[in-house]
């Protein structure tokens, strides 16, 4: 039955009867019933043409369960048992009844005994009454035919016995609409050039706009998992009163990336094999004059109680442009700007952005990754403050009970690797790097001698891969990434569990190379 045929039959019925009081009684010409949802579709289309009007009628309809249907067809178990027992004193052996009726025998016997319909005669069962009535079967047939039963008690009882149940159904009462007719005119959906040319549009009826129609989902952007985890980290920093550093420049000079951080020019990290240097342009020479001199001086001769490195510092080396190897390049620049204020004000900075290292690419290493970095500058900060900040920070990630191990960075002293105990692995695993920036770095920048700067860093990839259950970094970043993964991955909420997972990651994947030393 096509939709149009159904519509025509509805129109015909309306024409003959004036209205359809309840579509539950509506049948096709051949007597078959139509699903109410199909009727609704037909009605809506007729409604949009104003050919009909309708109202929804909500009601409850009783229906038989599978077992109920079985009983309405072949009788209730106790009656089946009774009927299977032949008349007369012989009766039937219990085992034979069992063999004939299976499960029905078991349930039916009990009830038939209770009703005193049957009794035992040795190992046989015999009838105790002449005839029985199958009230249950009759009640079920009433329900099957009318969708209800006049006796509410019966309904309650049969429902309790799981033979029937009720469901809500919506049916419709239908009346003729303003434009009622017995034929359905085809409606044009578009006003075409041809219709206008021929004047045909004057005779056309046009399909109405359906402003309630659900539109096609517009193609929209999707956040990469890294950006989602990044957002969670940002919120933690914001909660702790940090401001975000401008890290949108990937190209830095060796000066801000290394020299200003008191990293000597012959340090292995400055080798082409570890750092991407730019070819064109290869250098820059826009540095604060004063600072350049001071940095050269501290590297060559030392000062402020330091003996320096005692080598021939070359400006050409500092001029080399590179893809920053850590976000600390931005931190050094920010601290320089902080030092230029007429009066020092304490600062809390953070950044989460990309860094680049000339690594051999494998399942857990790419030539780029994201660093998360927190920096606090204030007078008289101590190592205790650094520990306190990190404890607070990692606690917000769900990582508690952290420990520290002495480490080395050219620009921090003391330096500490951050460890967390992993219950599952039963060992301490590294989760970050940290330290107090050296006076050889801070004093040339122009900060007051009593200003201390504490800082820590970790990677963004590691928690992201754990959170999204990705164990090859090339599935997270680069040309092999499955776009469907980016479109469908869920929002990220860092919770206590995240902390546990983060702690346990080391055994599984180490996507981020150890921070440079
Ligand atoms: N810059 C370090 C690295 O690349 C991390 C770090 C940040 C260490 C701040 C100490 C202080 O791993």
């Amino acid at each position: 039955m096509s939709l149009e045929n159904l519509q025509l039959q509805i129109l015909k019925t309306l024409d003959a009867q004036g209205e359809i009081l309840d579509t539950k009684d509506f049948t096709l010409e051949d007597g078959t019933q139509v699903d109410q949802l199909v009727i609704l579709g037909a009605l809506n289309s007729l409604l949009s043409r104003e050919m009909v009007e309708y109202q929804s009628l909500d009601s409850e309809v009783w229906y038989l369960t599978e077992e109920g249907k079985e009983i309405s067809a072949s009788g209730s178990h106790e009656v089946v048992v009774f009927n299977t027992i032949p008349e007369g004193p012989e009766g039937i052996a219990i085992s034979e009844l069992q063999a004939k009726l299976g499960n029905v025998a078991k349930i039916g016997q009990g009830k038939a005994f209770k009703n005193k319909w049957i009794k035992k005669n040795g190992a046989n069962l015999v009838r105790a009454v002449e005839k029985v009535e199958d009230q249950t079967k009759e009640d079920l047939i009433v329900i099957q035919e009318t969708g209800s039963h006049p006796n509410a008690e019966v309904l309650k009882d049969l429902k309790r016995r799981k033979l029937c149940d009720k469901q809500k159904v919506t049916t419709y009462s239908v009346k003729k609409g303003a434009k009622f007719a017995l034929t359905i005119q085809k409606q044009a959906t578009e006003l075409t050039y041809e219709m206008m040319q021929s004047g045909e549009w004057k005779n056309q009826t046009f399909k109405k706009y359906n402003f309630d129609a659900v539109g096609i989902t517009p193609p929209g952007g999707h956040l990469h998992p890294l950006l989602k985890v990044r957002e969670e980290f940002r919120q933690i920093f914001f909660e702790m009163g940090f401001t975000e550093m401008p890290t949108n420049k990937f190209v830095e000079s060796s000066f801000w990336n290394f020299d200003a951080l008191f990293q000597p020019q012959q340090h292995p990290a400055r080798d082409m094999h570890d750092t991407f240097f730019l070819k064109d342009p290869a250098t820059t020479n826009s540095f604060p004059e004063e600072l350049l001199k001071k940095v050269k001086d501290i590297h060559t001769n030392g000062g402020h109680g330091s003996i320096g490195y005692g080598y021939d510092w070359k400006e050409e080396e500092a001029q080399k442009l590179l893809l920053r190897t850590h976000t600390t390049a931005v931190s050094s620049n920010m601290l320089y700007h902080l030092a230029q204020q007429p009066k020092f004000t304490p600062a809390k900075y953070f950044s989460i952005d990309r860094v680049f290292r000339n690594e051999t690419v494998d399942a857990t290493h790419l030539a780029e990754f994201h660093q998360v970095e927190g920096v606090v500058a204030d007078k008289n900060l101590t190592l205790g403050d650094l520990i306190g900040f990190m404890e607070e920070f990692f606690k917000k990630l769900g990582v508690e009970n952290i420990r520290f191990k002495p480490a080395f960075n050219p620009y921090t002293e003391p330096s500490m690797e951050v460890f967390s105990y992993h219950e599952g692995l039963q060992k301490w695993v590294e989760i970050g790097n940290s330290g107090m920036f050296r006076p050889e770095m801070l004093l040339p920048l122009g900060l007051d001698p009593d200003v201390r700067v504490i800082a820590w860093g970790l990677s963004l990839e590691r928690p992201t891969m754990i959170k999204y259950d990705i164990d090859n970094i090339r599935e997270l970043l680069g040309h092999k990434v499955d776009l469907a993964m980016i479109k469908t991955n869920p929002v990220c909420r860092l919770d206590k569990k995240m902390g546990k997972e983060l702690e346990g990651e080391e055994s599984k994947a180490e996507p981020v190379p150890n921070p440079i030393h």
Side-chain angles (χ1 to χ4, degrees):
M1 152 96 1
S2 72
L3 182 70
E4 191 171 335
N5 269 336
L6 174 60
Q7 287 174 329
L8 287 174
Q9 290 224 14
I10 291 173
L11 294 172
K12 248 177 149 175
T13 313
L14 281 175
D15 190 45
Q17 304 176 0
E19 62 184 322
I20 300 171
L21 280 175
D22 191 335
T23 50
K24 93 173 182 308
D25 303 320
F26 176 81
T27 54
L28 298 178
E29 270 170 341
D30 62 6
T32 49
Q33 288 216 315
V34 186
D35 186 90
Q36 293 298 321
L37 275 180
V38 177
I39 292 181
L40 178 64
L43 289 178
N44 275 336
S45 156
L46 290 171
L47 181 74
S48 76
R49 296 159 194 260
E50 295 174 51
M51 296 177 77
V52 303
E53 285 169 20
Y54 74 85
Q55 270 184 321
S56 307
L57 307 168
D58 289 324
S59 57
E60 265 178 1
V61 170
W62 288 83
Y63 65 94
L64 302 190
T65 60
E66 280 311 309
E67 197 186 345
K69 279 184 203 158
E70 217 179 284
I71 291 175
S72 87
S74 32
S76 58
H77 303 326
E78 56 272 33
V79 174
V80 172
V81 166
F82 181 85
N83 289 338
T84 311
I85 299 173
E87 280 174 46
E90 273 287 300
I92 191 173
I94 295 180
S95 55
E96 199 186 331
L97 185 82
Q98 196 84 35
K100 270 193 173 160
L101 301 180
N103 233 2
V104 172
K106 262 194 212 146
I107 309 167
Q109 267 179 69
K111 283 202 184 128
F113 272 120
K114 223 169 125 194
N115 292 351
K116 301 203 163 55
W117 289 352
I118 59 171
K119 58 185 182 199
K120 272 190 180 167
N121 183 8
N124 279 16
L125 290 175
V126 295
R127 291 189 180 187
V129 292
E130 240 165 63
K131 91 184 206 304
V132 297
E133 264 182 24
D134 199 345
Q135 193 56 46
T136 308
K137 177 178 168 174
E138 270 157 39
D139 288 337
L140 288 173
I141 290 174
V142 170
I143 295 169
Q144 202 167 30
E145 281 172 359
T146 66
S148 188
H149 194 283
N151 188 341
E153 281 304 311
V154 170
L155 287 171
K156 215 172 119 190
D157 180 55
L158 293 178
K159 182 173 188 298
R160 191 186 46 75
R161 288 165 63 186
K162 295 201 167 61
L163 299 180
C164 68
D165 206 347
K166 60 183 172 182
Q167 75 188 147
K168 273 215 157 61
V169 292
T170 306
T171 54
Y172 308 91
S173 84
V174 193
K175 283 202 286 216
K176 292 179 184 173
K179 296 191 181 155
F180 178 81
L182 282 172
T183 51
I184 301 167
Q185 241 199 352
K186 203 151 174 48
Q187 289 176 311
T189 50
E190 239 182 317
L191 177 63
T192 63
Y193 162 80
E194 288 79 14
M195 281 180 201
M196 296 189 44
Q197 278 270 302
S198 64
E200 164 59 17
W201 63 273
K202 287 183 206 150
N203 312 320
Q204 275 290 346
T205 49
F206 288 91
K207 192 169 181 179
K208 276 194 181 169
Y209 277 109
N210 177 5
F211 292 105
D212 296 327
V214 183
I216 299 166
T217 318
H222 298 272
L223 289 181
H224 188 277
L226 278 172
L227 290 177
K228 292 182 180 173
V229 178
R230 177 178 188 269
E231 193 47 33
E232 288 288 293
F233 274 90
R234 285 181 86 221
Q235 291 313 320
I236 290 175
F237 277 116
F238 287 140
E239 274 170 32
M240 292 175 73
F242 283 66
T243 39
E244 195 161 15
M245 294 190 259
T247 46
N248 52 355
K249 245 173 35 183
F250 295 166
V251 174
E252 272 294 349
S253 62
S254 294
F255 180 76
W256 289 113
N257 196 84
F258 295 126
D259 297 279
L261 287 161
F262 196 54
Q263 188 144 332
Q265 294 190 327
Q266 58 281 3
H267 191 283
R270 297 174 72 142
D271 194 87
M272 264 182 18
H273 299 293
D274 290 312
T275 300
F276 292 112
F277 288 96
L278 264 67
K279 279 194 182 139
D280 185 18
T283 58
T284 175
N285 57 11
S286 73
F287 305 113
E289 260 322 292
E290 269 299 284
L291 177 62
L292 204 71
K293 277 201 205 99
K294 286 189 192 161
V295 167
K296 176 184 173 132
D297 206 42
I298 200 95
H299 279 246
T300 322
N301 309 313
H304 315 291
S306 166
I307 58 166
Y309 292 119
Y311 70 99
D312 186 15
W313 186 87
K314 293 208 167 60
E315 190 176 332
E316 302 82 71
E317 196 59 43
Q319 286 176 349
K320 287 184 184 167
L321 288 172
L322 46 73
L323 293 179
R324 67 174 174 225
T325 63
H326 55 176
T327 47
T328 319
V330 181
S331 307
S332 66
N333 198 295
M334 287 297 286
L335 290 171
Y336 170 70
H337 286 288
L338 184 70
Q340 304 318 301
Q341 293 181 324
K343 194 176 171 301
F344 171 78
T345 45
K348 290 192 276 189
Y349 298 135
F350 80 93
S351 67
I352 308 170
D353 215 329
R354 254 176 218 216
V355 300
F356 306 85
R357 292 181 194 180
N358 199 350
E359 304 262 0
T360 315
V361 173
D362 63 27
T364 55
H365 296 80
L366 285 184
E368 60 187 279
F369 65 97
H370 293 72
Q371 279 189 332
V372 180
E373 182 158 327
V375 178
V376 184
D378 200 355
K379 296 200 169 174
N380 304 318
L381 288 174
T382 65
L383 196 65
D385 292 305
L386 175 57
I387 291 172
F389 265 105
M390 285 196 284
E391 274 175 350
E392 177 78 16
F393 174 81
F394 283 107
K395 204 160 114 188
K396 284 178 184 285
L397 285 177
V399 181
E400 300 204 47
N401 186 19
I402 53 174
R403 267 200 201 168
F404 307 96
K405 182 175 134 186
F408 175 79
N409 298 303
Y411 39 88
T412 54
E413 182 60 38
S415 309
M416 301 184 299
E417 279 167 358
V418 190
F419 283 74
S420 161
Y421 190 74
H422 184 251
E423 299 290 343
L425 295 174
Q426 301 267 305
K427 66 169 187 170
W428 292 88
V429 295
E430 192 195 330
I431 54 172
N433 183 14
S434 68
M436 298 185 75
F437 285 129
R438 295 181 77 106
E440 290 100 321
M441 166 188 167
L442 299 181
L443 293 171
L445 292 175
L447 288 165
D448 295 342
D450 53 353
V451 171
R452 305 277 177 270
V453 182
I454 55 182
W456 70 95
L458 60 149
S459 90
L460 184 64
E461 274 74 0
R462 184 154 138 185
T464 305
M465 288 174 71
I466 301 162
K467 188 81 198 166
Y468 288 94
D469 207 15
I470 296 171
D471 47 40
N472 189 327
I473 194 151
R474 284 169 289 198
E475 283 164 26
L476 183 69
L477 225 66
H479 67 284
K480 285 193 183 158
V481 168
D482 176 11
L483 285 181
M485 177 278 285
I486 293 178
K487 284 183 187 165
T488 56
N489 66 71
V491 291
C492 167
R493 290 277 171 270
L494 298 179
D495 46 29
K496 294 279 171 202
K497 194 160 163 274
M498 175 73 209
K500 285 277 157 287
E501 288 166 345
L502 176 60
E503 290 167 48
E505 180 43 22
E506 202 175 57
S507 65
K508 188 166 147 202
E510 180 70 11
V512 176
N514 248 345
I516 55 166
H517 296 299

